[in-house]
C-alpha cells in the first residue's frame, strides 16, 4: 500500500478505513469502480500494482536493520491517528528504540534550510538542552535548522528521530549521509516511503504533517515567510499541538516567518525550559529569569533620591543635595552618613561626592 499511494492520500486512507487493506487490494486488482474514488485515481493505483513485491520490500528493510510499523502494532504512535484519513498507511523505521516510546516525550525542532549562524547556534543549543532534560528531538534531517537540531541532541548523547521524505536506503540530502547513520545508531530514521523511493517536493510537504502529529509540540527556530517549517507549525496548531517560535532580529527575513507565527498565536520561547513547561507534565515549570541584583537595588526611596541628586563627577554640599532630592537637610545628612560606610558616597570636608563606580552602575557590595 505504501507503494500504491503518495503520502497523505486521504482517498486511499478512506478506503482502508472502510474496507481494510486486504479488501482494498482485491478490489483494485479486480478492476471496476470504487466508491468515493475517481476513475482516473483508481487507474493510477492500478498502474502501480504491476511488479509490486511486498516480501522483497520487507527483506530490504530487514537487511537495513529496520522494520515496517503500521496501525495496530504495539509500536505504532496512536497520536498519528489524529491525521484521520491522511495518517500514514505505515512507517518504515530504522533503529533500535521503540517509535511509540520515543514519541511520548518528544519535541519537533524545525526551521529554514538556509539558516543563519544565529539560527544554527540556537537550534543546536536548544536541542542539546532538551536532550539533557530527557526529551527526544524530532526533525526532518534537512540542511540548516534540522541538521543543527539533530547534531545538538547527539552531541550530548540524546536520542533524536529523523522523519525523512525518502525511502530507506536512499540517504537524503547526500551531504547528511553520515548524520543519518548516527541518527540511526542513536535514535530512529522514519519514513512513509518504501525502501529505495526517491524524495520529491510534494513528499517533503507531506512529510511535515507526520512531524507535526508525532510530537506534543513544534518549535520553529528560524524560518522565512515561505518556509516549509511554517507548514509544519500550522499543521501542529490545527492538530491541537503546542506551537512555539524563537524570536530573531526584526531585520532578518529568515526570522520573519517565526515572528508571523507569534502574531498568529504561537508561544514565544527562548530556552528549553520554556518548551518543556508547555509540552511537559504538570509541575515542569520554567524557572524565572533572574537579573543580577545590584547593591543600589536594595536601597529605599529616600536613599535612592539622595543618590540621584548627587552629580556624577562633581562634589556638592549637603544643602545642594537636599535641594535636588527635595528633602529636608536633616534627612539628607542622615541618609548621606548611612550611604558613606556602604561605599556609595565619599566626603571631603563639607562636600559630598558620588563614588564613580556607583555612577557607572557598579557599586561596591554593601557589608
Amino acid at each position: 500500500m505504501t507503494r500504491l499511494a503518495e503520502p497523505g492520500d486521504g482517498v486511499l486512507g478512506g478506503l482502508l478505513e472502510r474496507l481494510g487493506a486486504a479488501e482494498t487490494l482485491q478490489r483494485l486488482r479486480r478492476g471496476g469502480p470504487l466508491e468515493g474514488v475517481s476513475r482516473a485515481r483508481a487507474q493510477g493505483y492500478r498502474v502501480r500494482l504491476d511488479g509490486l513485491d511486498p516480501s522483497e520490500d520487507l527483506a530490504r528493510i530487514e537487511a537495513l536493520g529496520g522494520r515496517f510499523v503500521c496501525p495496530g502494532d504495539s509500536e505504532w504512535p496512536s497520536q498519528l491517528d489524529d491525521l484521520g484519513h491522511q495518517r500514514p498507511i505505515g512507517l518504515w523505521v530504522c533503529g533500535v528504540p521503540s517509535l511509540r516510546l520515543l514519541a511520548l516525550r518528544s519535541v519537533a525542532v524545525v526551521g529554514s534550510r538556509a539558516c543563519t549562524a544565529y539560527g544554527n547556534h540556537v537550534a543546536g543549543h536548544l536541542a542539546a538542552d532538551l536532550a539533557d532534560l530527557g526529551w527526544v528531538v524530532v526533525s526532518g534531517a534537512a540542511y540548516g535548522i534540522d541538521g543543527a537540531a539533530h547534531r545538538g541532541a547527539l552531541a550530548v548523547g540524546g536520542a533524536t528521530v529523523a522523519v525523512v521524505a525518502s525511502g530507506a536506503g536512499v540517504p537524503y540530502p547526500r551531504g547528511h549521509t553520515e548524520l543519518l547513520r548516527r541518527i540511526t545508531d542513536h535514535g530512529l530514521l522514519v519514513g512513509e516511503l518504501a525502501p529505495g523511493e526517491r524524495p520529491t517536493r510534494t513528499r517533503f510537504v507531506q512529510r511535515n504533517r507526520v512531524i507535526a502529529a508525532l510530537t506534543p509540540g513544534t518549535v520553529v527556530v528560524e524560518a522565512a515567510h515561505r518556509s516549509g517549517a511554517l507548514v509544519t507549525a500550522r499543521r501542529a496548531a490545527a492538530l491541537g499541538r503546542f506551537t512555539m517560535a524563537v524570536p530573531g532580529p526584526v531585520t532578518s527575513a529568515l526570522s520573519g516567518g517565526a515572528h508571523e507565527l507569534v502574531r498568529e498565536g504561537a508561544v514565544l520561547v527562548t530556552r528549553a525550559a520554556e518548551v518543556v513547561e508547555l509540552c511537559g507534565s504538570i509541575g515542569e515549570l520554567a524557572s524565572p529569569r533572574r537579573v543580577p541584583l545590584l547593591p543600589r537595588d536594595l536601597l529605599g526611596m529616600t536613599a535612592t533620591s539622595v543618590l540621584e541628586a548627587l552629580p556624577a563627577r562633581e562634589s556638592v554640599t549637603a544643602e545642594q543635595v537636599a535641594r535636588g532630592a527635595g528633602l529636608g537637610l536633616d534627612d539628607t545628612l542622615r541618609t548621606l552618613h548611612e550611604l558613606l560606610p556602604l561605599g556609595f558616597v565619599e566626603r571631603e570636608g563639607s562636600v559630598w561626592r558620588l563614588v564613580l563606580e556607583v555612577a557607572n552602575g557598579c557599586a561596591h557590595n554593601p557589608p
Side-chain angles (χ1 to χ4, degrees):
M1 287 295 172
T2 60
R3 288 197 184 275
L4 283 182
E6 286 296 308
D9 186 337
V11 174
L12 186 62
L15 280 177
L16 293 175
E17 184 170 321
R18 294 196 305 271
L19 305 176
E23 179 63 21
T24 296
L25 186 60
Q26 288 179 11
R27 293 194 183 191
L28 284 171
R29 283 174 171 162
R30 288 198 301 263
L34 287 168
E35 182 183 354
V37 182
S38 69
R39 184 174 181 178
R41 184 180 287 269
Q43 183 62 29
Y45 294 149
R46 291 179 177 121
V47 166
R48 288 187 171 185
L49 275 173
D50 294 336
L52 293 188
D53 190 345
S55 297
E56 181 183 349
D57 285 336
L58 290 174
R60 290 177 69 180
I61 194 67
E62 288 174 7
L64 293 168
R67 57 201 176 276
F68 182 68
V69 179
C70 61
D73 291 344
S74 60
E75 193 180 348
W76 181 257
S78 59
Q79 60 267 37
L80 292 178
D81 298 342
D82 292 347
L83 291 169
H85 291 168
Q86 287 192 322
R87 78 174 178 182
I89 295 169
L91 292 170
W92 302 88
V93 180
C94 290
V96 174
S98 163
L99 175 59
R100 183 181 67 84
L101 294 180
L102 285 191
L104 288 176
R105 193 172 168 87
S106 65
V107 174
V109 179
V110 297
S112 174
R113 285 175 171 80
C115 69
T116 64
Y118 163 80
N120 185 79
H121 173 84
V122 171
H125 278 269
L126 181 65
D129 290 344
L130 285 168
D132 273 337
L133 293 172
W135 286 75
V136 176
V137 175
V138 177
S139 198
Y143 290 129
I145 298 299
D146 288 15
H150 290 305
R151 291 188 184 94
L154 292 170
V156 296
T160 184
V161 175
V163 182
V164 297
S166 59
V170 182
Y172 190 89
R174 287 286 184 182
H176 276 177
T177 299
E178 176 60 21
L179 175 61
L180 292 169
R181 185 195 64 76
R182 291 178 59 206
I183 292 171
T184 305
D185 290 343
H186 298 279
L188 293 174
L189 201 64
V190 179
E192 295 181 75
L193 295 167
E197 286 286 341
R198 303 286 173 178
T200 65
R201 184 179 181 85
T202 303
R203 289 171 173 178
F204 277 114
V205 173
Q206 291 298 328
R207 178 273 309 271
N208 292 341
R209 84 191 195 289
V210 179
I211 297 176
L214 188 62
T215 61
T218 294
V219 184
V220 176
V221 173
E222 192 175 50
H225 286 286
R226 293 176 59 85
S227 172
L230 302 187
V231 176
T232 306
R234 288 173 177 139
R235 194 62 183 268
L239 290 168
R241 310 301 198 255
F242 294 107
T243 306
M244 296 153 279
V246 176
V250 296
T251 54
S252 172
L254 283 175
S255 287
H259 297 161
E260 183 179 340
L261 286 176
V262 173
R263 286 178 56 83
E264 292 173 2
V267 178
L268 187 151
V269 294
T270 59
R271 53 190 174 131
E274 295 167 355
V275 176
V276 174
E277 184 176 79
L278 281 178
C279 300
S281 304
I282 294 175
E284 292 188 89
L285 302 177
S287 59
R289 289 188 180 274
R290 300 188 183 278
V291 297
L293 188 64
L294 299 176
R296 190 165 181 167
D297 298 331
L298 303 174
L299 299 177
M301 291 183 62
T302 300
T304 300
S305 296
V306 169
L307 281 182
E308 291 177 350
L310 283 162
R313 298 182 181 277
E314 297 178 19
S315 298
V316 292
T317 65
E319 289 81 1
Q320 290 174 295
V321 176
R323 190 180 306 114
L327 298 171
L329 182 58
D330 290 342
D331 288 338
T332 300
L333 282 170
R334 184 183 68 252
T335 303
L336 286 169
H337 282 287
E338 290 173 353
L339 293 171
L340 183 61
L342 297 179
F344 287 96
V345 296
E346 294 176 341
R347 182 183 179 185
E348 295 179 356
S350 61
V351 296
W352 297 83
R353 182 177 64 194
L354 185 68
V355 173
L356 186 59
E357 288 82 356
V358 176
N360 294 330
C362 304
H364 300 305
N365 289 325

